[in-house]
Amino acid sequence: MSSQGNGLPEDKSWPELELPELLTSNGTVRALHAAIETDWDSLRRSGCQTAAGRASWKHIIHDPVAGLLAGETYLRSIFEKIKKDRLNNAREISGVILAVRTLWIDSKLEAALDSFDGAGAQVVLLGAGMDARAYRLSCLRESSVFEVDFPEVLQAKTAILEAAVGGIDEQKQPILKAKSLSRVAADLTEDDWLQKLQISGFEPKKRTVWILEGILYYLSHCQAIKLLTIIAEKCQLTHTVLLADFMNKQATKLSSSTFHFHCDWPDELLPSLGFSDVTLSQIGDPDANFGLMEDPLNLFNKLRSLPRSIQTHPDDGTPCGRLYLLQASGSPNQTDS
């Protein structure tokens, strides 16, 4: 379905809120989501919010289990925000930045796997949350996928997906698209996550795509740099690709209690850590648009027209909060170049 510049379908309609049947009929699933809302902190709950965003943009992102993983509360919340934006003729519809980020990572992931000439690769999602790429991307058919996150997050995710298997509607049951999927219970702020990843079957010398989506800014500066350095070191062993998003300093001020790590120049940071090929995109760039950012007065297009060094918008004095999308790579024969 084609879209207008603000992400709305051309007929200006929006898919109605459809709660997955299991969210209302399955006691186990309802109990799991109730526990998520009461027991999890904002970092853990962010996975459900991301899933809700993907479910609400289903005319753009085809994720069969996003709604189930999101839960009723987060689904209703994002749909109410979208309804309000549409009534106000907003230039940016809620969730559009998440939709663009999802599509950007999907497209770069597929291109990276294609560049490996059909050779099976590993794909590691750090802070995977409720991500369902292993169930929706056919480009993963030759890839071993590893999802790394807190034990309670992966346990809840596994239980929710298991409840969907054998459900009433066979067409909506999750089907694994990846060659294999391993869930690795680990805390990325601890020193043993890489060891746990290798125990789960990860091969350090095998070509790998690392995905850090919506995770870096929840970490401290020290934790984020350490994580990125560990990944960069893999460039000395094998062809390594990193796909990640970074907030600049002004963006983290949106919630100083939640967001910590920021980087105004990630395209300079990553080469200093050991990546030999780094490209940066901003929301709205030609490769980070997907027909959702055509309005020139869209907030993100207005930011793109300003030098990245400017911290406040000259027109209204608002903070220039930016989200950068980074693709970085390296391999043993490039690290000295």
Side-chain angles (χ1 to χ4, degrees), residues 271-324:
S272 75
L273 298 179
F275 290 100
S276 56
D277 187 13
V278 178
T279 56
L280 175 146
S281 300
Q282 294 190 66
I283 303 294
D285 280 354
D287 70 333
N289 189 311
F290 305 99
L292 306 179
M293 297 286 173
E294 301 298 338
D295 188 335
L297 296 180
N298 183 290
L299 169 64
F300 308 104
N301 284 330
K302 289 168 68 176
L303 284 175
R304 287 171 60 234
S305 68
L306 295 174
R308 286 162 54 192
S309 58
I310 293 181
Q311 299 294 308
T312 56
H313 202 290
D315 291 347
D316 54 20
T318 56
C320 292
R322 301 174 188 261
L323 185 75
Y324 297 123

Side-chain angles (χ1 to χ4, degrees), residues 253-264:
K253 290 181 178 179
L254 293 171
S255 179
S256 57
S257 62
T258 301
F259 303 132
H260 307 289
F261 173 70
H262 60 82
C263 185
D264 289 353

Side-chain angles (χ1 to χ4, degrees), residues 33-293:
H33 278 296
I36 287 170
E37 291 177 44
T38 57
D39 300 341
W40 289 13
D41 60 13
S42 60
L43 172 57
R44 289 162 174 80
R45 292 197 305 270
S46 67
C48 294
Q49 293 166 334
T50 298
R54 289 179 179 148
S56 67
W57 284 76
K58 61 184 179 182
H59 57 288
I60 302 292
I61 302 167
H62 308 292
D63 190 329
V65 294
L68 184 63
L69 292 170
E72 182 175 351
T73 297
Y74 296 105
L75 284 174
R76 290 193 182 280
S77 175
I78 186 66
F79 270 90
E80 285 303 311
K81 291 177 181 177
I82 289 171
K83 182 187 294 185
K84 183 178 179 180
D85 288 342
R86 291 176 60 213
L87 288 173
N88 294 333
N89 292 316
R91 294 189 183 277
E92 304 92 26
I93 301 298
S94 290
V96 68
I97 192 169
L98 187 148
V100 170
R101 186 182 70 182
T102 297
L103 294 171
W104 183 88
I105 290 178
D106 288 354
S107 64
K108 300 300 183 184
L109 172 60
E110 183 172 8
L113 294 176
D114 286 345
S115 73
F116 293 159
D117 298 325
Q122 298 170 130
V123 176
V124 181
L125 295 98
L126 297 181
M130 296 298 178
D131 189 284
R133 284 188 169 89
Y135 293 92
R136 65 181 179 81
L137 295 183
S138 58
C139 66
L140 295 172
R141 59 188 175 276
E142 299 297 328
S143 298
S144 301
V145 175
F146 297 86
E147 296 180 349
V148 184
D149 213 320
F150 297 111
E152 59 271 29
V153 173
L154 296 180
Q155 289 167 5
K157 181 179 186 177
T158 301
I160 291 169
L161 290 173
E162 285 179 349
V165 176
I168 297 173
D169 190 342
E170 292 186 1
Q171 307 234 328
K172 294 185 179 180
Q173 292 187 29
I175 299 174
L176 189 66
K177 297 288 185 67
K179 180 180 179 181
S180 64
L181 173 60
S182 302
R183 295 197 173 101
V184 184
D187 184 341
L188 296 175
T189 67
E190 301 292 337
D191 293 333
D192 60 352
W193 69 265
L194 184 58
Q195 179 185 6
K196 290 180 177 179
L197 183 61
Q198 292 179 200
I199 291 172
S200 298
F202 174 80
E203 301 176 39
K205 295 185 178 181
K206 189 174 182 180
R207 292 175 173 181
T208 307
V209 180
W210 300 79
I211 297 177
L212 278 70
E213 181 181 18
I215 184 65
L216 282 172
Y217 24 87
Y218 286 96
L219 305 176
S220 69
H221 181 84
C222 180
Q223 291 165 348
I225 295 298
K226 187 173 184 178
L227 190 67
L228 292 168
T229 300
I230 290 172
I231 297 172
E233 289 173 347
K234 299 296 173 283
C235 295
Q236 302 172 23
L237 299 176
T238 185
H239 190 165
T240 300
V241 177
L242 169 71
L243 303 174
D245 61 320
F246 291 72
M247 283 185 178
N248 71 347
K249 184 176 182 178
Q250 294 287 43
T252 58
K253 290 181 178 179
L254 293 171
S255 179
S256 57
S257 62
T258 301
F259 303 132
H260 307 289
F261 173 70
H262 60 82
C263 185
D264 289 353
W265 304 95
D267 45 338
E268 296 180 5
L269 169 67
L270 293 177
S272 75
L273 298 179
F275 290 100
S276 56
D277 187 13
V278 178
T279 56
L280 175 146
S281 300
Q282 294 190 66
I283 303 294
D285 280 354
D287 70 333
N289 189 311
F290 305 99
L292 306 179
M293 297 286 173

